[in-house]
Amino acid sequence: MESAQQYERLTPLKVIAVPGGDVKHALKASETDFCGFGEAYFSSVTSGTIKGWKLHTQMTCNLIVPIGLVKFVVGLPETGFEEYVIGEGAHGRLTIPSGLWFAFQGVAEKDSLVLNISDIVHEPSESKKCDLDSFDYKWEC
């Protein structure tokens, strides 16, 4: 099986400096990572808190952190996990297709906000969850 890194993609995003507050790009329908629109929702994460593990069986997630800084860990226990840090100062979009486990941790001193632009409407039955100690990954707190 291929490594987890060959599945997900981190896309640097444009930040446009504007007097009074910057404009930060998220996702365009013309981009290769756009695979349809189901819904967009936000998830907040407090500093140091870890959320996950979660695996979507159908949903593709496009994750952006407009406020704060978040470390995402993505992959499969059989092939390993990759780390990505995105947010203020590292503006990007992490695209996670269905079939990969992921978890995330707020690493800013303040609360962080994660935006998911998904290709389907959230349906609880299409995702799986595991406890943080389910996989061999050591979180730094």
Side-chain angles (χ1 to χ4, degrees), residues 21-140:
D22 295 344
V23 173
K24 297 180 178 185
H25 281 208
L27 182 64
K28 296 177 184 178
S30 60
E31 294 177 314
T32 57
D33 291 327
F34 181 79
C35 51
F37 177 76
E39 70 177 351
Y41 60 87
F42 293 94
S43 178
S44 62
V45 58
T46 57
S47 180
T49 297
I50 303 166
K51 291 186 170 185
W53 295 100
K54 189 170 197 173
L55 177 145
H56 287 284
T57 61
Q58 298 172 25
M59 179 186 288
T60 296
C61 297
N62 284 289
L63 305 170
I64 301 109
V65 178
I67 299 170
L69 196 64
V70 176
K71 177 171 82 170
F72 294 89
V73 179
V74 184
L76 296 167
E78 309 85 50
T79 57
F81 294 95
E82 298 290 330
E83 297 179 359
Y84 301 92
V85 178
I86 60 174
E88 294 177 66
H91 189 55
R93 180 183 62 249
L94 181 59
T95 301
I96 304 173
S98 61
L100 294 177
W101 288 100
F102 69 96
F104 57 94
Q105 178 180 27
V107 294
E109 292 182 11
K110 60 182 179 181
D111 292 356
S112 298
L113 190 65
V114 178
L115 167 62
N116 182 17
I117 303 173
S118 65
D119 61 337
I120 64 172
V121 173
H122 183 262
E123 174 59 48
S125 64
E126 73 80 39
S127 64
K128 301 176 184 178
K129 293 183 180 184
C130 283
D131 292 332
L132 286 176
D133 61 359
S134 296
F135 303 128
D136 186 24
Y137 180 81
K138 303 292 183 232
W139 290 92
E140 296 176 25

Side-chain angles (χ1 to χ4, degrees), residues 14-24:
K14 193 174 195 178
V15 177
I16 301 167
V18 177
D22 295 344
V23 173
K24 297 180 178 185

